[in-house]
């Protein structure tokens, strides 16, 4: 069977997008920041009056946060907790990403069944339905990424009106991290792959009986057989 190019594009891009979005979901680098922590000690002050500092690297994901000391193997990760975990925008992103992964996986299964490489004719309706699910999955993950990126520096931050300013930890300058870029790329691939599978709804034009007879006659005339 000659598989349409749109189907080939769909069954290649959709799984690749799924892998990238899944990688983004399980890694704790959605946002990251760094801060210098002053380490003062009586011994160092008596010797030179200097102040030692440590550069702390903090990263947060959808389900895990990590803290590492720069130029050191000291690193600790833990499940997200506190205001960040309870933030409704983080929970929204979690739900959208999980739904996106489920829809994309289901769509890929339907697309593989619809392509039916072991038979002569593909199930175009099934393949196109799988493409629709993949497109929906891509849009959901794009929404999750957009919500998270737009509120990145405010997620889990306690408002001053609550009167719980905590000076125990230094202020972190937060910025987007690598997992977000994996997510954006994977979501775009999902939309492209699902959109390509949607072209499966377009049925190929079949020749009518008269057109088929005329084609056979022309072929006979061209080959010289009577």
């Amino acid at each position: 069977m000659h598989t349409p190019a749109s189907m080939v594009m769909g069954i290649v891009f959709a799984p690749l997008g799924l892998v990238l979005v899944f990688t983004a979901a399980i890694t704790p680098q959605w946002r990251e920041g760094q801060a210098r922590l002053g380490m003062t000690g009586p011994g160092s002050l008596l010797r030179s009056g200097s102040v030692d500092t440590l550069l702390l690297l903090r990263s947060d994901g959808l389900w895990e946060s990590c803290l590492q000391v720069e130029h050191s193997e000291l690193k600790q990760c833990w499940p997200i907790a506190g205001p960040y975990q309870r933030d409704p925008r983080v929970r929204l992103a979690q739900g959208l990403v999980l739904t996106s992964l489920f829809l994309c996986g289901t769509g890929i299964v339907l697309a593989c069944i619809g392509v039916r490489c072991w038979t002569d004719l593909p199930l175009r309706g099934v393949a196109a339905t799988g493409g629709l699910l993949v497109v929906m999955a891509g849009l959901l993950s794009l929404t999750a990424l957009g919500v998270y990126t737009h509120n990145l520096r405010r997620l889990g931050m306690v408002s001053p009106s609550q009167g719980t300013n905590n000076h125990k930890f230094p202020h972190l300058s937060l910025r987007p991290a690598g997992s977000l870029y994996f997510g954006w790329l994977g979501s775009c691939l999902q939309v492209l792959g699902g959109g390509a599978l949607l072209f499966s709804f377009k049925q190929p034009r079949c020749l009518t009986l008269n057109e088929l007879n005329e084609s056979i006659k022309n072929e006979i005339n061209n080959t010289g057989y009577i």
Side-chain angles (χ1 to χ4, degrees), residues 1 27 53 56 69 78 101 138 143-144 170 183 191 198-199 201:
M1 179 190 75
T27 51
T53 61
L56 301 179
V69 178
W78 61 92
L101 293 173
T143 303
V191 174
L198 282 176
F199 283 104
F201 274 127

Side-chain angles (χ1 to χ4, degrees), residues 17 25 46 60 96-97 108 136-137 148 151 161 194 207 211 219 224:
L46 289 174
D60 294 310
L96 291 175
V97 168
I108 291 173
M136 292 174 59
Y148 192 98
N151 301 283
S161 60
L207 295 175
E211 291 174 336
E219 186 67 24

Side-chain angles (χ1 to χ4, degrees), residues 78-122:
W78 61 92
I80 60 172
Y84 180 76
Q85 180 191 27
R86 296 189 296 269
D87 195 300
R89 294 160 295 192
V90 175
R91 294 193 173 188
L92 176 62
Q94 291 174 337
L96 291 175
V97 168
L98 288 177
T99 305
S100 170
L101 293 173
F102 173 77
L103 288 179
C104 189
T106 305
I108 291 173
V109 172
L110 289 177
C112 292
I113 295 175
V115 171
R116 290 181 58 177
C117 296
W118 61 91
T119 62
D120 292 332
L121 295 175

